[in-house]
Every structure is written in C-alpha cells, then in structure tokens.
Amino acid sequence: MTTDNNNFVVQGKQADNERLKGESNFLRGTIAQDLKDDLTGSFVGDNFQLIRFHGMYQQDDRDIRAERAKQKLEPLQNVMLRARLPGGIIKPHQWLSIDKFADEKTLYGSIRLTTRQTFQFHGVLKPNIKLMHQTLNQVGIDSIATAGDVNRNVLCTSNPIESVVHQQAYEWAVKISEHLLPKTRAYAEIWLDGEKKETTDHEPILGSHYLPRKFKTTVVIPPLNDIDVHANDLNFVAIAKEGKLIGFNVLVGGGLAMTHGDEATFPRKADDFGFIGVEETLAIAEAVVTTQRDWGNRVNRKNAKTKYTLERVGVETFKAEVEKRSGVIFAESQPYEFTERGDRIGWVEGIDGKHHLTLFIENGRILDYPGKPLKTGCAEIAKIHDGDFRLTANQNLIVAGVSEANKAKIEEIARAHGLIIDDLSAQRRDSMACVALPTCPLAMAEAERYLPEAVTQLEGILSKHDIAQKSIIYRVTGCPNGCGRSMLAEIGLVGKGPGKYNLHLGGNRQGTRIPKMYKENIGEQQIMDELDVLIGQWAKQGQSDESFGDFVIRTGVIAEVVNSAEDFYA
C-alpha cells in the first residue's frame, strides 16, 4: 500500500465494494427484481451489500441454521432494518405504528433500541420488506443511509433538562442528517413506488462511489457524553453561553472497530480541530465528509475509516484541507468538560417545567416478557402521552415532555408493566451489550444474551467486597466491530469465539480513554475470577472517588493507551 504525496489517495487495486457501488446505478442495483424472486428469502449478488444503503442487513437465525441444513432448507433468511431518527426523537403515534408492525410482521415481535440512538426491526421476511418501508413512510420515518458507506444516523445528546439548548442542538442534528443524505431517488423508487425522474442522478457530497467506509456523526451537549464522541468520525460539541447555543468544538477521527490479529487496525480517539460558529456547521460537516471521500482508503476496507486517514496523512494536513474546502478557519476550542456518560434513570424536571421519565431497558430489547410486558407498557404510554419519546444511545427510552397532569398516570402504567425498576443497581445501569447471536452474522460470541447473568455475577463480586453501591462501565460486544462500544469501557469484553472473549481494562467513566487488552481469549468463568481479584484490590486500595478504570492504570495493572497507533498493542 502506497500513498500519493500530491492527493493522499491510496494506490492499488480497489476493494470490490468500490466496483459494486460504481455499477449500482446510484444504489438501485437489481433490488427491485430481486424482491420478486420468491424461490429464496435472500438477496443475491451485489444486492446483498446494496440493501445496506437502504438501512437493512440480511441475516438469518443462527440458532436453527444447522437444523434447517439437515432438512435441506436454506437458512431462515430475513432482514434487520435500522431506522433513521436523527437525535432519537419519535412521536407517540409513530411509536404505535412501529409497535404494531413488530407484533404482526416480524419473527421476534420485538423493538430493539440501539447504540445508534434509533430502533431496529429484527426478523423481517422478504414478502414483508416493502410493506415495512411503506408503513414507516406513512408516519414520517425512513431508513435511508443508516448502513453502508455513507453518513449514518446522526446522534444527539438526549438531554431532558436544558430544553432550550437541547432543542437547538437537536435541530442541528436533523439539518446535518438531511444535508449529508444520499440524493439518489433509489429508496423512493424501490420501496415507495416512486417514479424515476428523468434528471440525471448526482451525488454532490457523497460522490458516485459514495464514501470509502461507514461514517458516523454526533452532536453532544457537555457535561453529558451520552453518545460517546470518541466512537465517531465527526462530532459537534455544543458550546452554550447564557442558555443559548453559540457554536461547536469539532472533533474528528474517532472509531472503535478493529480486526482480530491485524495490528494495523485499532480503536482511536477523535482529535479536536477547534471551534466554529453555528452558522458554519453544515460547511464544516460537508468538508470533513468530502475530504474523507477523496482521501480515504478505497483499497483496504479494514483501513478505510476516517481515523486511519488522519493517521496516514496527519491531523494538521486533514484539518487544513477541511478549512480550505469549507472556507472556515477553526478558532481555538472553547473549554468544556464531560462529567458523566450514562442516562439519568427515573424522573427529572426540565427548566421548562416539563417532566421526563427515563426508562432503563436492559440491552434495549422491548418485548413482552413473562410478568414483565415491556412492549405493551410502552404502547399504553404512547396512547396517552402528549410529548415525545427520546431513544438514547445507551439503549434506554425517555418519555419526554410529560405535563404535570399526565405524570402520575404515566408512572402508574410504567410500574404496572415492569418499566420502572426500583432496585436497579448502578452496575446494571452502567452495563451494555450489542445484539450478537443469534441474528448478527458477524458475532463470534454471545453479548446481549450473556450480559444479564454476567452483570448479576459482577454485582455479586461488588457486594462480596462491600462496594455494592459502586459501579464500573462494563460492556460486551460479540465481535471486534464495536457496536456495544466496549473500547470505551472500564471493562470491555470483545468476542473471540463461543464463550471466549478478549478482556480489556482501563477506560474511564467519562468515555475519553481507550482500554487495553489485559487477557486474550479467555472463558466466562476466568473473566469473573480475574475481575474478582482486581475489584477486591480496588475496594481495598482505591483512593477516594477513584474509578476502577483509573485505579488499574494508577497501580500498573494495565498501561494507559495514550496514542492508539503506537501503544494499543504495545
């Protein structure tokens, strides 16, 4: 792999994804024809990849794959859809529509809240895919560009207290999302029966081959880092003065995915480029995206994300190009501080007098469980709620904008359906996992199904050492792609194989430090045995208010990751 010193484009044979994007007729491919093939539940050829640009991944139920093979049946092919919800805000009538579709037209009947601050349908069979898109469209929702090599769903801090600043920040999240969307009408033509316009397709921002790899953008309101800025390519840190948004500090080049056994891949923190005024936001967003579009690695997809482009060409060179393209010169960054990361579970009152109820949803899976009908409860709240819902990047649900008159009734419904947990531990609140098995085709180990019992064991260890009131940011991902954001946890598990994980330690509570691998490819019992010893040491030797992640670094249990490219694997 070589670098052209004039334009920083990586030379070599391009990845096959570049071919299929270029030949896709602006993301149409032959998806429409494929939909009519009822001999298979799958999408074939390039369409398997192209449907991602329309917000879907083809999956199958891996729990029954072997049994179906014995019966000489293909795997139970279906799709997962991820909706586009900038800032995670959804209206009650929209919620009721997605609730009904999940009940009637998906294999699992659940609504899954994700770390991308939106919801996913799992288990949609081919005959129902078009109906799914049309159902969402009828209530003003789509899934355009929530997957594939594009800018994906734009996240925004789910701040239910500072309502004025949050509203301004949320509006910018929506504007950024709309500005960076693909302009092709392929989505409308295929799924909504929109007619092909005679005008030539043109992608002024994304280009005819779109981006080299997925691209993630956030808007965050300090002191709450609930969207984990360092997991994303582009972040706008809101700076407010006297209760009004005046601009953003811009952070570029974060990302958590890596590949097992490939030390050229690593998680990386974002770099602070400086401060801009609010009126310069879209110009900067576009310039960062187009610079990555033109300079990103289209030869090796494992090194195609923005973080690797910055490592290859240099942060200052990339920043200068963004200034050149946007016509905006970054000012010195404004001071800010992140003090917390999780969601504020329970009731809080905003400065506007409205009430907001944050419901803890373990793993984000909303389903009716025995004695705990969460999905029915959310629907019952939606029927009487006069505000909105906010999906958080920590897989929880906020019933936002509740009037004083409605507060008691909503709490009554929530309690009756198991949506309020009075004895929720701090440790369970601060734990998270990705979907993993049985639906994710990339999963190497369990995550969502493993987490609840793992947290119970962790709670037992904390109690054993008389620190049950404390918690540790604990996250599990089934593979190294990072959907559960383990690489920003104090304890992060990354799936390596069935029942086996790499154990990482040393992130911090603010989400501004990458953890480092402590033990490789170990089983669940060994993980708990290791943590028992370390947590015991923390309980006895930890300084006042010292977090677990800070403790293991101070005492030399693990070395601090300062520069991922140099010391993540050292």
Side-chain angles (χ1 to χ4, degrees):
M1 187 168 66
T2 60
T3 300
D4 185 320
N5 292 325
N6 295 317
N7 58 20
F8 299 103
V9 174
V10 177
Q11 305 299 312
K13 182 179 179 181
Q14 292 194 339
D16 191 55
N17 291 68
E18 299 305 316
R19 174 201 60 78
L20 72 88
K21 286 182 285 187
E23 295 177 359
S24 72
N25 187 21
F26 291 93
L27 307 182
R28 294 176 179 85
T30 56
I31 295 173
Q33 296 93 307
D34 216 339
L35 276 173
K36 299 174 184 177
D37 181 1
D38 57 6
L39 295 179
T40 175
S42 66
F43 288 87
V44 299
D46 290 350
N47 298 330
F48 176 84
Q49 294 277 355
L50 287 176
I51 63 170
R52 298 182 180 185
F53 291 83
H54 301 255
M56 296 176 293
Y57 288 86
Q58 183 168 299
Q59 303 181 337
D60 74 283
D61 189 330
R62 293 170 63 178
D63 284 348
I64 61 174
R65 186 185 288 175
E67 181 60 32
R68 287 181 67 86
K70 288 180 184 178
Q71 298 173 16
K72 295 184 168 40
L73 297 173
E74 73 171 7
L76 185 58
Q77 303 287 2
N78 59 84
V79 302
M80 176 272 279
L81 174 135
R82 181 184 301 133
R84 185 174 68 93
L85 284 181
I89 292 183
I90 187 170
K91 298 296 184 182
H93 76 277
Q94 295 174 315
W95 184 273
L96 291 172
S97 181
I98 67 171
D99 176 88
K100 184 174 185 290
F101 185 88
D103 259 351
E104 298 176 355
K105 301 296 182 181
T106 72
L107 293 176
Y108 308 106
S110 66
I111 300 169
R112 182 54 152 80
L113 309 185
T114 83
T115 56
R116 293 309 300 169
Q117 203 177 21
T118 183
F119 68 87
Q120 292 177 178
F121 286 135
H122 286 258
V124 182
L125 298 174
K126 201 173 184 180
N128 293 324
I129 293 175
K130 198 165 188 177
L131 174 64
M132 171 177 61
H133 288 286
Q134 293 178 345
T135 299
L136 292 176
N137 179 69
Q138 288 170 3
V139 293
I141 299 174
D142 61 58
S143 63
I144 301 171
T146 56
D149 299 344
V150 287
N151 180 67
R152 299 188 177 185
N153 193 52
V154 178
L155 277 60
C156 181
T157 291
S158 304
N159 190 330
I161 298 176
E162 295 186 40
S163 57
V164 175
V165 175
H166 176 270
Q167 181 62 29
Q168 294 170 337
Y170 164 72
E171 289 171 358
W172 279 108
V174 174
K175 290 176 184 177
I176 294 166
S177 176
E178 296 292 336
H179 189 67
L180 298 178
L181 277 181
K183 307 309 179 198
T184 173
R185 282 186 48 82
Y187 183 89
E189 291 170 17
I190 296 169
W191 310 113
L192 310 179
D193 296 324
E195 293 184 5
K196 175 74 168 71
K197 291 187 175 181
E198 293 183 2
T199 53
T200 303
D201 281 299
H202 179 51
E203 296 284 11
I205 297 176
L206 298 174
S208 61
H209 285 67
Y210 297 86
L211 301 183
R213 204 70 165 82
K214 60 185 176 182
F215 192 96
K216 299 177 180 179
T217 302
T218 75
V219 179
V220 61
I221 308 172
L224 188 59
N225 184 21
D226 59 339
I227 51 78
D228 273 330
V229 295
H230 292 293
N232 303 282
D233 300 78
L234 174 60
N235 307 273
F236 293 91
V237 181
I239 304 298
K241 299 288 186 184
E242 299 178 352
K244 182 180 180 181
L245 183 67
I246 63 167
F248 300 99
N249 288 347
V250 179
L251 276 60
V252 180
L256 305 184
M258 54 187 172
T259 302
H260 286 317
D262 184 353
E263 294 191 3
T265 68
F266 45 83
R268 184 187 191 277
K269 289 171 54 177
D271 288 285
D272 192 332
F273 277 23
F275 175 80
I276 61 168
V278 289
E279 70 282 357
E280 298 163 331
T281 303
L282 296 184
I284 287 294
E286 180 174 328
V288 172
V289 168
T290 61
T291 301
Q292 166 60 6
R293 177 197 69 195
D294 297 340
W295 288 6
N297 189 335
R298 294 183 185 268
V299 173
N300 180 2
R301 284 181 65 80
K302 292 180 180 179
N303 287 102
K305 280 185 61 66
T306 313
K307 60 181 177 178
Y308 300 118
T309 307
L310 264 66
E311 289 290 341
R312 179 164 50 84
V313 308
V315 173
E316 290 304 316
T317 298
F318 194 103
K319 175 181 172 181
E321 182 68 14
V322 170
E323 291 181 327
K324 175 183 175 183
R325 294 185 183 213
S326 65
V328 176
I329 302 299
F330 289 101
E332 183 177 349
S333 288
Q334 297 283 321
Y336 70 93
E337 182 182 16
F338 292 128
T339 59
E340 55 183 315
R341 189 154 40 144
D343 299 325
R344 297 158 179 166
I345 305 300
W347 287 105
V348 296
E349 184 175 353
I351 60 176
D352 58 354
K354 294 285 189 179
H355 301 278
H356 312 275
L357 175 61
T358 301
L359 303 171
F360 173 76
I361 309 293
E362 189 161 39
N363 287 320
R365 182 73 65 180
I366 297 180
L367 187 63
D368 282 350
Y369 300 98
K372 199 175 180 181
L374 306 183
K375 188 165 175 290
T376 296
C378 290
E380 290 301 311
I381 290 173
K383 290 175 183 176
I384 69 163
H385 183 34
D386 52 9
D388 55 46
F389 290 114
R390 296 180 190 172
L391 284 58
T392 83
N394 295 306
Q395 305 171 327
N396 296 317
L397 181 66
I398 301 175
V399 186
V402 178
S403 63
E404 184 68 37
N406 234 10
K407 183 181 177 187
K409 181 60 177 175
I410 284 178
E411 174 154 354
E412 179 186 345
I413 294 172
R415 287 190 176 279
H417 293 82
L419 287 161
I420 292 179
I421 307 171
D422 290 320
D423 59 351
L424 177 69
S425 72
Q427 184 55 62
R428 198 165 295 274
R429 179 198 66 204
D430 289 339
S431 301
M432 188 165 69
C434 69
V435 173
L437 297 165
T439 54
C440 178
L442 302 177
M444 301 175 180
E446 296 280 3
E448 178 180 332
R449 296 194 294 195
Y450 167 58
L451 186 73
E453 177 55 31
V455 173
T456 298
Q457 293 180 51
L458 200 52
E459 289 170 333
I461 293 172
L462 292 168
S463 294
K464 172 184 173 182
H465 296 290
D466 298 321
I467 51 172
Q469 77 284 2
K470 292 191 175 184
S471 70
I472 302 167
I473 304 296
Y474 177 74
R475 295 175 176 177
V476 184
T477 57
C479 80
N481 283 286
C483 295
R485 302 203 296 267
S486 289
M487 289 298 95
L488 285 172
E490 295 180 277
I491 299 174
L493 304 187
V494 179
K496 196 75 185 290
K500 300 286 188 178
Y501 302 85
N502 290 346
L503 171 60
H504 292 74
L505 303 175
N508 61 15
R509 295 196 68 84
Q510 296 79 22
T512 58
R513 190 168 64 219
I514 302 290
K516 191 179 181 75
M517 187 162 66
Y518 178 66
K519 297 285 183 179
E520 184 176 9
N521 197 31
I522 61 175
E524 296 167 8
Q525 187 57 54
Q526 186 179 352
I527 290 169
M528 290 302 161
D529 290 344
E530 295 283 351
L531 294 180
D532 188 5
V533 172
L534 294 171
I535 290 171
Q537 293 172 353
W538 175 45
K540 293 178 180 178
Q541 303 168 23
Q543 296 176 351
S544 177
D545 296 326
E546 183 177 41
S547 70
F548 179 78
D550 290 344
F551 169 77
V552 294
I553 287 177
R554 178 180 64 81
T555 58
V557 172
I558 198 79
E560 181 178 359
V561 175
V562 178
N563 183 324
S564 294
E566 297 176 358
D567 56 21
F568 180 71
Y569 293 106

